[in-house]
Coordinates of all heavy atoms in Angstrom, one line a residue:
M11 N 85.6 -70.8 -244.0 CA 85.9 -69.4 -244.0 C 86.7 -69.1 -245.3 O 87.5 -69.9 -245.7 CB 86.7 -68.9 -242.8 CG 86.9 -67.5 -242.9 SD 87.2 -66.6 -241.3 CE 85.9 -67.2 -240.2
S12 N 86.3 -68.0 -246.0 CA 86.9 -67.6 -247.2 C 87.8 -66.3 -247.0 O 87.3 -65.4 -246.4 CB 85.9 -67.3 -248.3 OG 85.1 -68.5 -248.6
K13 N 89.0 -66.4 -247.5 CA 89.8 -65.2 -247.4 C 89.5 -64.3 -248.6 O 89.7 -64.7 -249.8 CB 91.3 -65.6 -247.5 CG 92.3 -64.5 -247.3 CD 93.7 -65.1 -247.3 CE 94.7 -64.0 -247.1 NZ 96.1 -64.6 -247.0
I14 N 89.1 -63.1 -248.4 CA 88.7 -62.1 -249.4 C 89.9 -61.3 -249.8 O 90.3 -61.1 -251.0 CB 87.6 -61.2 -249.0 CG1 86.4 -62.1 -248.5 CG2 87.2 -60.3 -250.1 CD1 85.8 -63.1 -249.5
T15 N 90.6 -60.8 -248.8 CA 91.9 -60.0 -249.0 C 92.8 -60.5 -247.8 O 92.3 -61.2 -246.9 CB 91.6 -58.5 -248.9 OG1 91.4 -58.1 -247.5 CG2 90.5 -58.0 -249.8
P16 N 94.0 -60.0 -247.8 CA 94.9 -60.4 -246.7 C 94.3 -60.1 -245.3 O 94.7 -60.7 -244.3 CB 96.2 -59.7 -246.9 CG 96.2 -59.6 -248.4 CD 94.8 -59.3 -248.8
R17 N 93.4 -59.1 -245.2 CA 92.9 -58.7 -243.9 C 91.4 -58.9 -243.8 O 90.8 -58.4 -242.8 CB 93.2 -57.2 -243.7 CG 94.7 -57.0 -243.6 CD 95.0 -55.6 -243.1 NE 96.5 -55.5 -243.0 CZ 97.1 -55.9 -241.9 NH1 96.5 -56.4 -240.9 NH2 98.5 -55.7 -241.8
L18 N 90.7 -59.5 -244.7 CA 89.3 -59.7 -244.7 C 88.9 -61.1 -245.0 O 89.3 -61.6 -246.0 CB 88.6 -58.7 -245.7 CG 87.1 -58.7 -245.8 CD1 86.5 -58.3 -244.5 CD2 86.7 -57.8 -246.9
Y19 N 88.1 -61.7 -244.1 CA 87.6 -63.0 -244.2 C 86.1 -63.0 -244.1 O 85.5 -62.1 -243.5 CB 88.1 -63.9 -243.1 CG 89.6 -64.1 -243.2 CD1 90.5 -63.2 -242.6 CD2 90.2 -65.3 -243.7 CE1 91.8 -63.3 -242.6 CE2 91.5 -65.4 -243.8 CZ 92.4 -64.5 -243.2 OH 93.7 -64.6 -243.2
V20 N 85.4 -63.9 -244.8 CA 84.0 -64.1 -244.7 C 83.7 -65.5 -244.3 O 84.2 -66.4 -244.9 CB 83.3 -63.7 -246.1 CG1 81.8 -64.0 -246.0 CG2 83.5 -62.3 -246.5
G21 N 82.8 -65.6 -243.3 CA 82.5 -67.0 -242.8 C 81.1 -67.0 -242.2 O 80.4 -66.0 -242.2
N22 N 80.8 -68.1 -241.6 CA 79.5 -68.3 -240.9 C 79.7 -68.3 -239.4 O 80.8 -68.0 -238.9 CB 78.9 -69.6 -241.4 CG 79.7 -70.8 -241.1 OD1 80.6 -70.8 -240.2 ND2 79.5 -71.8 -241.9
Y23 N 78.7 -68.6 -238.7 CA 78.7 -68.6 -237.2 C 79.7 -69.6 -236.7 O 80.4 -69.3 -235.7 CB 77.3 -68.8 -236.6 CG 77.2 -68.5 -235.1 CD1 77.5 -67.3 -234.6 CD2 76.9 -69.6 -234.3 CE1 77.4 -67.1 -233.2 CE2 76.8 -69.4 -232.9 CZ 77.1 -68.1 -232.4 OH 77.1 -67.9 -231.0
E24 N 79.8 -70.7 -237.3 CA 80.7 -71.8 -236.8 C 82.2 -71.2 -236.9 O 83.0 -71.5 -236.0 CB 80.6 -73.0 -237.6 CG 79.3 -73.8 -237.3 CD 79.1 -75.1 -238.1 OE1 80.1 -75.5 -238.8 OE2 78.0 -75.6 -238.1
N25 N 82.4 -70.5 -238.0 CA 83.8 -69.9 -238.2 C 84.1 -68.9 -237.1 O 85.2 -68.8 -236.6 CB 83.9 -69.3 -239.6 CG 83.7 -70.2 -240.7 OD1 83.1 -69.9 -241.7 ND2 84.2 -71.5 -240.6
A26 N 83.1 -68.1 -236.8 CA 83.2 -67.0 -235.8 C 83.4 -67.6 -234.4 O 83.8 -66.9 -233.5 CB 82.0 -66.1 -235.9
Q27 N 83.0 -68.9 -234.2 CA 83.2 -69.5 -232.9 C 84.6 -70.2 -232.8 O 85.0 -70.5 -231.7 CB 82.1 -70.6 -232.7 CG 80.8 -70.0 -232.5 CD 79.7 -71.1 -232.3 OE1 79.9 -72.2 -232.8 NE2 78.7 -70.7 -231.5
N28 N 85.3 -70.4 -233.9 CA 86.5 -71.1 -233.9 C 87.7 -70.3 -233.4 O 88.4 -69.6 -234.2 CB 86.8 -71.6 -235.3 CG 88.0 -72.5 -235.4 OD1 88.9 -72.5 -234.6 ND2 88.0 -73.4 -236.4
L29 N 87.9 -70.3 -232.1 CA 88.8 -69.5 -231.4 C 90.3 -69.7 -232.0 O 91.0 -68.8 -232.2 CB 88.8 -69.7 -229.9 CG 89.5 -68.7 -229.1 CD1 89.1 -67.2 -229.4 CD2 89.2 -69.0 -227.6
D30 N 90.6 -70.9 -232.2 CA 92.0 -71.2 -232.7 C 92.2 -70.6 -234.0 O 93.3 -70.0 -234.3 CB 92.2 -72.8 -232.8 CG 92.3 -73.4 -231.5 OD1 92.7 -72.8 -230.5 OD2 92.0 -74.6 -231.4
F31 N 91.2 -70.7 -234.9 CA 91.4 -70.1 -236.3 C 91.4 -68.5 -236.1 O 92.3 -67.9 -236.7 CB 90.2 -70.4 -237.2 CG 90.3 -69.7 -238.5 CD1 91.1 -70.2 -239.5 CD2 89.6 -68.6 -238.7 CE1 91.2 -69.5 -240.7 CE2 89.7 -67.9 -239.9 CZ 90.5 -68.4 -240.9
L32 N 90.5 -68.0 -235.4 CA 90.5 -66.5 -235.2 C 91.8 -66.0 -234.7 O 92.4 -65.0 -235.2 CB 89.4 -66.1 -234.3 CG 88.0 -66.4 -234.8 CD1 86.9 -66.2 -233.7 CD2 87.6 -65.6 -236.1
R33 N 92.4 -66.7 -233.7 CA 93.7 -66.3 -233.2 C 94.8 -66.5 -234.1 O 95.7 -65.6 -234.3 CB 93.9 -67.0 -231.9 CG 93.1 -66.5 -230.7 CD 93.4 -67.1 -229.4 NE 92.8 -66.4 -228.3 CZ 92.6 -67.0 -227.1 NH1 93.0 -68.2 -226.9 NH2 92.1 -66.3 -226.2
S34 N 94.8 -67.6 -234.9 CA 95.9 -67.8 -235.8 C 95.9 -66.8 -237.0 O 97.0 -66.5 -237.5 CB 95.7 -69.3 -236.4 OG 94.7 -69.3 -237.4
K35 N 94.8 -66.2 -237.3 CA 94.7 -65.2 -238.3 C 94.8 -63.8 -237.8 O 94.7 -62.8 -238.5 CB 93.4 -65.4 -239.2 CG 93.4 -66.7 -239.9 CD 94.5 -66.9 -240.8 CE 94.5 -68.2 -241.5 NZ 95.7 -68.5 -242.3
K36 N 94.9 -63.7 -236.5 CA 95.0 -62.4 -235.8 C 93.8 -61.5 -236.0 O 93.9 -60.3 -236.2 CB 96.3 -61.7 -236.1 CG 97.5 -62.5 -235.7 CD 98.8 -61.8 -236.1 CE 99.9 -62.7 -235.7 NZ 101.2 -62.4 -236.2
I37 N 92.6 -62.2 -236.1 CA 91.4 -61.4 -236.2 C 91.1 -60.6 -235.0 O 91.3 -61.1 -233.9 CB 90.2 -62.4 -236.4 CG1 90.4 -63.3 -237.6 CG2 88.8 -61.7 -236.5 CD1 90.5 -62.7 -239.0
D38 N 90.7 -59.4 -235.2 CA 90.4 -58.5 -234.0 C 89.0 -58.0 -234.0 O 88.5 -57.6 -233.0 CB 91.4 -57.4 -233.9 CG 91.6 -56.6 -235.1 OD1 90.6 -56.1 -235.6 OD2 92.7 -56.6 -235.6
T39 N 88.3 -58.0 -235.2 CA 87.0 -57.5 -235.3 C 86.1 -58.4 -236.1 O 86.5 -58.9 -237.1 CB 87.0 -56.1 -236.0 OG1 87.8 -55.2 -235.2 CG2 85.6 -55.5 -236.0
I40 N 84.9 -58.7 -235.6 CA 84.0 -59.6 -236.2 C 82.7 -58.9 -236.5 O 82.1 -58.2 -235.6 CB 83.7 -60.8 -235.4 CG1 85.0 -61.6 -235.2 CG2 82.6 -61.7 -236.0 CD1 85.0 -62.7 -234.1
V41 N 82.2 -59.0 -237.7 CA 80.9 -58.4 -238.1 C 79.8 -59.5 -237.9 O 79.9 -60.5 -238.6 CB 80.8 -57.8 -239.5 CG1 79.4 -57.3 -239.8 CG2 81.9 -56.8 -239.7
N42 N 79.0 -59.3 -236.9 CA 77.9 -60.3 -236.7 C 76.6 -59.7 -237.4 O 76.1 -58.8 -236.9 CB 77.7 -60.5 -235.2 CG 76.6 -61.5 -234.9 OD1 75.8 -61.9 -235.7 ND2 76.5 -61.9 -233.6
C43 N 76.2 -60.3 -238.5 CA 75.1 -59.9 -239.2 C 73.7 -60.3 -238.6 O 72.7 -59.8 -239.0 CB 75.2 -60.3 -240.7 SG 76.6 -59.7 -241.5
S44 N 73.8 -61.3 -237.8 CA 72.6 -62.0 -237.3 C 71.9 -61.3 -236.2 O 72.5 -60.6 -235.3 CB 73.0 -63.4 -236.7 OG 72.0 -64.0 -236.1
K45 N 70.6 -61.4 -236.2 CA 69.8 -60.9 -235.1 C 69.7 -61.9 -234.0 O 69.6 -61.5 -232.8 CB 68.4 -60.6 -235.7 CG 67.4 -59.9 -234.6 CD 66.1 -59.5 -235.3 CE 66.3 -58.1 -235.8 NZ 65.1 -57.4 -236.1
E46 N 69.7 -63.2 -234.3 CA 69.4 -64.2 -233.3 C 70.6 -64.9 -232.7 O 70.5 -65.5 -231.7 CB 68.4 -65.3 -233.9 CG 69.0 -66.1 -235.0 CD 68.9 -65.4 -236.4 OE1 68.2 -64.4 -236.5 OE2 69.5 -66.0 -237.3
L47 N 71.8 -64.7 -233.3 CA 73.0 -65.4 -232.8 C 73.9 -64.4 -232.0 O 74.1 -63.3 -232.4 CB 73.8 -66.0 -233.9 CG 73.1 -67.0 -234.8 CD1 73.9 -67.4 -235.9 CD2 72.7 -68.2 -233.9
N48 N 74.3 -64.9 -230.8 CA 75.1 -64.1 -229.9 C 76.5 -63.9 -230.5 O 77.0 -64.8 -231.2 CB 75.2 -64.7 -228.5 CG 73.8 -64.6 -227.8 OD1 73.1 -63.7 -228.0 ND2 73.6 -65.7 -227.0
N49 N 77.2 -62.9 -230.0 CA 78.6 -62.7 -230.3 C 79.3 -63.8 -229.5 O 79.1 -63.9 -228.3 CB 79.1 -61.3 -229.9 CG 78.5 -60.2 -230.6 OD1 78.0 -60.4 -231.8 ND2 78.5 -59.0 -230.1
A50 N 80.1 -64.6 -230.2 CA 80.7 -65.8 -229.6 C 81.7 -65.5 -228.5 O 81.8 -66.3 -227.5 CB 81.3 -66.7 -230.7
H51 N 82.6 -64.5 -228.7 CA 83.7 -64.2 -227.8 C 83.8 -62.7 -227.5 O 84.7 -62.1 -227.8 CB 85.0 -64.7 -228.4 CG 85.0 -66.1 -228.9 ND1 85.0 -67.2 -228.0 CD2 84.9 -66.7 -230.1 CE1 85.0 -68.3 -228.7 NE2 85.0 -68.0 -229.9
P52 N 82.7 -62.2 -226.8 CA 82.7 -60.7 -226.7 C 83.8 -60.1 -225.8 O 84.2 -59.0 -226.0 CB 81.3 -60.5 -226.0 CG 81.0 -61.8 -225.4 CD 81.6 -62.9 -226.2
S53 N 84.5 -60.9 -225.0 CA 85.6 -60.4 -224.2 C 86.9 -60.5 -225.0 O 87.9 -59.9 -224.5 CB 85.7 -61.2 -222.9 OG 86.0 -62.5 -223.1
L54 N 86.9 -61.1 -226.1 CA 88.2 -61.3 -226.8 C 88.3 -60.5 -228.2 O 89.4 -60.3 -228.6 CB 88.4 -62.8 -227.2 CG 88.5 -63.7 -225.9 CD1 88.6 -65.2 -226.4 CD2 89.6 -63.4 -225.0
F55 N 87.1 -60.2 -228.7 CA 87.1 -59.5 -230.0 C 86.2 -58.3 -230.0 O 85.3 -58.2 -229.2 CB 86.7 -60.5 -231.1 CG 87.5 -61.7 -231.2 CD1 87.1 -62.9 -230.6 CD2 88.7 -61.7 -231.9 CE1 87.9 -64.0 -230.7 CE2 89.5 -62.8 -232.0 CZ 89.1 -64.0 -231.4
N56 N 86.5 -57.4 -230.9 CA 85.5 -56.3 -231.2 C 84.4 -56.8 -232.1 O 84.7 -57.5 -233.0 CB 86.2 -55.1 -231.8 CG 87.3 -54.5 -230.9 OD1 87.1 -54.3 -229.7 ND2 88.5 -54.2 -231.5
Y57 N 83.2 -56.4 -231.9 CA 82.1 -56.8 -232.7 C 81.4 -55.6 -233.3 O 81.2 -54.6 -232.6 CB 81.1 -57.7 -231.9 CG 81.6 -59.1 -231.7 CD1 82.4 -59.4 -230.6 CD2 81.2 -60.1 -232.5 CE1 82.8 -60.7 -230.4 CE2 81.6 -61.4 -232.3 CZ 82.4 -61.7 -231.2 OH 82.9 -63.0 -231.0
I58 N 81.0 -55.8 -234.5 CA 80.0 -54.9 -235.2 C 78.8 -55.7 -235.4 O 78.8 -56.7 -236.1 CB 80.6 -54.4 -236.5 CG1 81.9 -53.6 -236.3 CG2 79.5 -53.5 -237.2 CD1 82.6 -53.3 -237.6
R59 N 77.7 -55.3 -234.7 CA 76.5 -56.1 -234.8 C 75.5 -55.4 -235.7 O 75.1 -54.3 -235.5 CB 75.9 -56.3 -233.4 CG 74.7 -57.2 -233.5 CD 74.5 -57.9 -232.1 NE 73.5 -58.9 -232.3 CZ 73.5 -60.1 -232.1 NH1 74.7 -60.6 -231.6 NH2 72.5 -60.9 -232.3
L60 N 74.9 -56.1 -236.7 CA 74.0 -55.6 -237.7 C 72.6 -55.9 -237.4 O 71.7 -55.3 -237.9 CB 74.4 -56.0 -239.1 CG 75.8 -55.5 -239.5 CD1 76.1 -55.9 -241.0 CD2 76.1 -54.1 -239.3
D61 N 72.3 -57.0 -236.7 CA 70.9 -57.4 -236.3 C 70.0 -57.5 -237.5 O 68.9 -57.0 -237.6 CB 70.3 -56.4 -235.3 CG 70.8 -56.5 -233.9 OD1 71.2 -57.6 -233.5 OD2 70.9 -55.5 -233.2
L62 N 70.5 -58.3 -238.5 CA 69.7 -58.6 -239.7 C 68.9 -59.9 -239.6 O 69.4 -60.8 -239.0 CB 70.6 -58.6 -240.9 CG 71.4 -57.3 -241.2 CD1 72.4 -57.5 -242.3 CD2 70.5 -56.2 -241.5
E63 N 67.8 -59.9 -240.3 CA 67.0 -61.2 -240.4 C 67.7 -62.0 -241.6 O 68.1 -61.4 -242.6 CB 65.6 -60.9 -240.8 CG 64.8 -60.1 -239.7 CD 64.4 -61.0 -238.6 OE1 64.4 -62.2 -238.7 OE2 64.0 -60.4 -237.5
D64 N 67.7 -63.3 -241.4 CA 68.3 -64.2 -242.5 C 67.1 -64.6 -243.4 O 66.7 -65.7 -243.4 CB 68.9 -65.4 -241.8 CG 69.7 -66.2 -242.8 OD1 69.9 -65.8 -244.0 OD2 70.1 -67.3 -242.5
I65 N 66.6 -63.6 -244.1 CA 65.5 -63.8 -245.1 C 65.8 -63.1 -246.4 O 66.5 -62.0 -246.3 CB 64.2 -63.3 -244.5 CG1 64.2 -61.9 -244.1 CG2 63.7 -64.2 -243.3 CD1 62.9 -61.3 -243.7
P66 N 65.3 -63.6 -247.5 CA 65.7 -62.9 -248.8 C 65.2 -61.5 -248.9 O 65.8 -60.7 -249.7 CB 64.9 -63.8 -249.8 CG 64.7 -65.1 -249.1 CD 64.6 -64.8 -247.7
T67 N 64.2 -61.1 -248.2 CA 63.6 -59.8 -248.3 C 64.2 -58.8 -247.3 O 63.8 -57.6 -247.3 CB 62.1 -59.8 -248.1 OG1 61.8 -60.4 -246.8 CG2 61.4 -60.6 -249.1
Q68 N 65.2 -59.2 -246.6 CA 65.9 -58.3 -245.6 C 66.5 -57.1 -246.4 O 67.3 -57.2 -247.3 CB 67.0 -59.0 -244.8 CG 67.8 -58.1 -244.0 CD 67.1 -57.4 -242.8 OE1 66.6 -58.1 -242.0 NE2 67.1 -56.1 -242.8
D69 N 66.1 -55.9 -245.9 CA 66.6 -54.6 -246.5 C 68.0 -54.4 -245.9 O 68.2 -54.3 -244.7 CB 65.7 -53.5 -246.2 CG 66.2 -52.1 -246.8 OD1 67.0 -52.1 -247.7 OD2 65.8 -51.1 -246.2
L70 N 69.0 -54.3 -246.8 CA 70.4 -54.0 -246.4 C 70.8 -52.6 -246.5 O 71.9 -52.2 -246.1 CB 71.4 -54.9 -247.1 CG 71.1 -56.4 -247.0 CD1 72.1 -57.2 -247.9 CD2 71.2 -56.9 -245.6
S71 N 70.0 -51.8 -247.1 CA 70.4 -50.4 -247.5 C 70.9 -49.6 -246.3 O 71.8 -48.8 -246.5 CB 69.3 -49.7 -248.3 OG 68.2 -49.5 -247.5
H72 N 70.3 -49.8 -245.2 CA 70.7 -49.0 -244.0 C 72.0 -49.4 -243.4 O 72.6 -48.7 -242.6 CB 69.6 -49.0 -243.0 CG 69.4 -50.4 -242.4 ND1 68.8 -51.4 -243.0 CD2 69.7 -50.9 -241.1 CE1 68.7 -52.5 -242.2 NE2 69.3 -52.2 -241.1
V73 N 72.6 -50.6 -243.7 CA 73.8 -51.0 -243.1 C 75.0 -51.1 -244.1 O 76.1 -51.1 -243.6 CB 73.7 -52.4 -242.5 CG1 72.6 -52.4 -241.4 CG2 73.3 -53.5 -243.5
L74 N 74.7 -51.1 -245.4 CA 75.8 -51.3 -246.3 C 76.9 -50.2 -246.3 O 78.1 -50.5 -246.1 CB 75.3 -51.4 -247.8 CG 74.6 -52.7 -248.1 CD1 74.1 -52.7 -249.5 CD2 75.5 -53.9 -247.9
N75 N 76.5 -49.0 -246.3 CA 77.5 -47.9 -246.3 C 78.2 -47.8 -244.9 O 79.5 -47.8 -244.9 CB 76.9 -46.5 -246.7 CG 76.8 -46.4 -248.2 OD1 77.4 -47.0 -248.9 ND2 75.9 -45.5 -248.6
P76 N 77.5 -47.8 -243.8 CA 78.2 -47.6 -242.5 C 79.2 -48.8 -242.3 O 80.3 -48.6 -241.8 CB 77.1 -47.6 -241.5 CG 75.9 -47.2 -242.2 CD 76.1 -47.7 -243.6
V77 N 78.7 -50.0 -242.5 CA 79.6 -51.2 -242.2 C 80.8 -51.3 -243.2 O 81.9 -51.6 -242.8 CB 78.8 -52.5 -242.1 CG1 78.5 -53.1 -243.5 CG2 79.6 -53.5 -241.3
S78 N 80.6 -50.9 -244.5 CA 81.7 -51.0 -245.4 C 82.7 -49.9 -245.1 O 83.9 -50.1 -245.2 CB 81.2 -50.8 -246.9 OG 80.5 -49.6 -247.1
E79 N 82.3 -48.7 -244.7 CA 83.2 -47.7 -244.2 C 84.0 -48.1 -243.0 O 85.2 -47.8 -242.9 CB 82.4 -46.4 -243.9 CG 81.9 -45.7 -245.2 CD 81.0 -44.5 -244.9 OE1 80.8 -44.1 -243.7 OE2 80.4 -44.0 -245.9
K80 N 83.3 -48.8 -242.1 CA 84.0 -49.2 -240.9 C 85.1 -50.3 -241.3 O 86.2 -50.3 -240.7 CB 83.0 -49.8 -239.9 CG 83.6 -50.2 -238.6 CD 84.3 -49.1 -237.8 CE 84.8 -49.6 -236.5 NZ 85.6 -48.6 -235.8
I81 N 84.7 -51.2 -242.1 CA 85.6 -52.3 -242.6 C 86.9 -51.6 -243.3 O 88.0 -52.0 -243.0 CB 84.9 -53.3 -243.5 CG1 83.9 -54.1 -242.6 CG2 85.9 -54.2 -244.2 CD1 83.0 -55.0 -243.5
I82 N 86.6 -50.7 -244.1 CA 87.7 -50.0 -244.8 C 88.6 -49.3 -243.8 O 89.8 -49.4 -243.9 CB 87.2 -49.0 -245.9 CG1 86.5 -49.8 -247.1 CG2 88.3 -48.0 -246.4 CD1 85.7 -48.9 -248.0
E83 N 88.0 -48.6 -242.8 CA 88.8 -48.0 -241.8 C 89.7 -49.0 -241.0 O 90.9 -48.7 -240.8 CB 87.9 -47.2 -240.8 CG 88.5 -46.6 -239.6 CD 87.5 -46.1 -238.7 OE1 86.4 -45.6 -239.1 OE2 87.9 -46.1 -237.5
L84 N 89.1 -50.1 -240.7 CA 89.8 -51.1 -240.0 C 91.0 -51.7 -240.8 O 92.1 -51.8 -240.3 CB 88.9 -52.3 -239.6 CG 87.9 -52.0 -238.5 CD1 86.8 -53.0 -238.5 CD2 88.6 -51.8 -237.1
I85 N 90.8 -51.9 -242.1 CA 91.8 -52.4 -243.0 C 92.9 -51.4 -243.1 O 94.1 -51.7 -243.0 CB 91.2 -52.8 -244.3 CG1 90.4 -54.1 -244.2 CG2 92.3 -53.1 -245.3 CD1 89.6 -54.4 -245.4
K86 N 92.6 -50.1 -243.2 CA 93.6 -49.1 -243.3 C 94.4 -49.0 -242.1 O 95.6 -48.6 -242.1 CB 92.9 -47.7 -243.6 CG 92.5 -47.5 -245.0 CD 91.8 -46.2 -245.2 CE 91.4 -46.0 -246.6 NZ 90.7 -44.7 -246.8
N87 N 93.8 -49.4 -240.9 CA 94.5 -49.4 -239.6 C 95.2 -50.7 -239.3 O 95.5 -51.0 -238.2 CB 93.6 -48.9 -238.5 CG 93.2 -47.5 -238.6 OD1 94.1 -46.6 -238.8 ND2 92.0 -47.2 -238.4
K88 N 95.3 -51.5 -240.4 CA 96.0 -52.8 -240.3 C 95.3 -53.8 -239.4 O 95.9 -54.7 -238.8 CB 97.5 -52.6 -239.9 CG 98.2 -51.7 -240.9 CD 99.5 -52.1 -241.2 CE 100.3 -51.1 -242.0 NZ 99.9 -51.0 -243.4
K89 N 94.0 -53.7 -239.2 CA 93.2 -54.6 -238.4 C 92.7 -55.7 -239.3 O 92.7 -55.6 -240.6 CB 92.0 -53.9 -237.8 CG 92.4 -52.7 -236.9 CD 93.2 -53.2 -235.7 CE 93.5 -52.0 -234.7 NZ 94.2 -52.5 -233.6
R90 N 92.2 -56.7 -238.7 CA 91.6 -57.9 -239.5 C 90.3 -58.2 -239.0 O 90.0 -58.2 -237.8 CB 92.5 -59.1 -239.3 CG 93.9 -58.9 -239.9 CD 94.7 -60.1 -239.6 NE 96.0 -59.8 -240.1 CZ 96.8 -60.7 -240.8 NH1 96.3 -61.8 -241.2 NH2 98.0 -60.3 -241.2

């Protein structure tokens, strides 16, 4: 997992399953970009699900603005 800012991390599905790490960093919201992978801990974290295909031609234009606005809102509210 890579720390982007003090409240924003980027990682893969294995990182999103690592409950000890998520709790140690006080993560409360996870963006699940995958269409085929389940939310790992739905009763413990808030999820934003994007349902994207993991292919080079996946169009992201419909999700970039809404998800970035949501992430900015979460950071402003001191969420991680």
Side-chain angles (χ1 to χ4, degrees):
M11 182 153 314
S12 299
K13 184 176 183 179
I14 306 303
T15 73
R17 297 190 175 278
L18 180 64
Y19 295 81
V20 174
N22 59 25
Y23 188 64
E24 288 178 12
N25 300 139
Q27 292 179 330
N28 186 335
L29 192 53
D30 290 334
F31 176 81
L32 296 170
R33 285 185 169 160
S34 75
K35 299 301 179 189
K36 299 179 181 166
I37 302 295
D38 51 59
T39 303
I40 298 170
V41 178
N42 181 349
C43 298
S44 171
K45 183 175 271 196
E46 65 275 351
L47 298 175
N48 292 327
N49 296 337
H51 306 287
S53 63
L54 300 175
F55 302 97
N56 296 315
Y57 282 87
I58 300 170
R59 186 154 185 125
L60 301 182
D61 287 326
L62 300 173
E63 298 281 346
D64 190 9
I65 57 173
T67 57
Q68 172 66 60
D69 178 22
L70 303 177
S71 63
H72 66 286
V73 298
L74 288 179
N75 280 340
V77 77
S78 62
E79 288 173 6
K80 183 63 176 172
I81 291 169
I82 290 167
E83 176 186 328
L84 290 164
I85 291 171
K86 284 180 179 178
N87 289 318
K88 307 221 184 286
K89 304 291 183 180
R90 296 175 186 229

